[in-house]
Amino acid sequence: MRLILTAHGSADPRSAETTHAVAERVRALRPGLDVRVAFCEQNSPNLRDALHMLDGPAVVTPLLLASAYHARIDIPAMIADAGADVIQADTLGEDPRLIAAMRERLAENQIHRYERGLGVLVVAVGSSHAAANARTSAIADTLARGTRWSGVQVAYATGPHPSVLDGIDRLRHRGARRIVMAPWFIAPGRITDRVAAIADAADISMVAPLGAHPLVAETVLDRFDAATADSAAAA
């Protein structure tokens, strides 16, 4: 069974580089597993082309955080069009391992859970799918658990409210004396650059995206294994 790690795709080369780096992490965790990389758009190979070249069963495993357009519509359509022996795994979602990876990104920047007066602004990509946004917003409570921060607020770089600036205002109203931005993104890119510019203008620090963190690779493998087990049980 092959694992096709499928990312959104971006004109920014850092996005594809991160996807390949995650794939290398997955290979290191599971030697012998055939791990391939594909993209929904902008980068090569496109998932549609990768599926048409398959010579055996595979699990398309989205390197996506939210179950939004690509996961719910785009990827299933490509799989159906290819007519290949392929199943689709779940998105990474709000997995506790990813929250732990975000905590590590904060700790790398000397952001500690017992700092009073700290506000953490988690910035994500918004979706037109309300359920996806609701799941993303739940990150705030999970990340804040066990801290002495003034609060954690989820804001969206695109789409729904609150916007990034709204999120900053909300944290300040809660008494945050210092704010740090934590991007809920796998890879850096044009959107994270725009968010970083907002942070700079507001004199707010911003930590790195999740990137090719080992816990991201573990979560990818978990989704692959769950899809494989479900397929075997249904056979």
Side-chain angles (χ1 to χ4, degrees):
M1 186 71 77
R2 297 157 183 80
L3 188 160
I4 304 179
L5 186 67
T6 304
H8 183 289
S10 171
D12 190 309
R14 293 172 295 176
S15 178
E17 289 168 3
T18 301
T19 301
H20 284 285
V22 173
E24 283 300 317
R25 289 275 194 189
V26 173
R27 294 184 187 106
L29 289 171
R30 188 74 57 86
L33 177 63
D34 185 353
V35 180
R36 305 182 185 185
V37 170
F39 300 91
C40 292
E41 58 185 47
Q42 300 202 60
N43 299 109
S44 296
N46 181 269
L47 176 60
R48 193 181 305 275
D49 297 332
L51 292 174
H52 281 293
M53 291 188 294
L54 273 177
D55 55 358
V59 177
V60 173
T61 309
L63 188 63
L64 302 171
L65 294 171
S67 182
Y69 176 81
H70 280 305
R72 294 185 302 106
I73 297 174
D74 202 16
I75 292 174
M78 291 185 190
I79 291 174
D81 178 67
D85 184 7
V86 172
I87 56 176
Q88 180 179 340
D90 286 340
T91 55
L92 305 186
E94 298 70 45
D95 192 282
R97 284 164 287 210
L98 302 185
I99 302 293
M102 178 172 277
R103 287 189 185 278
E104 287 192 26
R105 294 291 183 238
L106 290 164
E108 289 167 1
N109 287 264
Q110 311 305 312
I111 309 298
H112 303 292
R113 64 176 59 192
Y114 300 120
E115 181 180 344
R116 297 183 185 276
L118 177 71
V120 176
L121 185 63
V122 177
V123 180
V125 173
S127 170
S128 59
H129 190 50
N133 296 327
R135 289 181 59 183
T136 302
S137 67
I139 296 169
D141 288 342
T142 306
L143 187 63
R145 197 170 298 139
T147 73
R148 295 179 181 174
W149 300 336
S150 292
V152 177
Q153 174 68 51
V154 173
Y156 299 99
T158 61
H161 294 289
S163 68
V164 175
L165 291 175
D166 291 337
I168 293 170
D169 287 341
R170 290 186 184 189
L171 287 171
R172 285 175 174 160
H173 282 306
R174 291 187 207 174
R177 298 187 298 274
R178 185 166 83 100
I179 296 173
V180 61
M181 285 192 193
W184 187 244
F185 286 73
I186 298 294
R190 294 181 177 181
I191 297 178
T192 56
D193 285 350
R194 291 202 300 268
V195 173
I198 295 172
D200 286 342
D203 196 25
I204 291 172
S205 62
M206 177 169 146
V207 305
L210 300 175
H213 193 286
L215 292 173
V216 173
E218 285 185 20
T219 308
V220 167
L221 274 175
D222 178 84
R223 300 299 183 267
F224 169 82
D225 289 339
T228 302
D230 287 346
S231 178

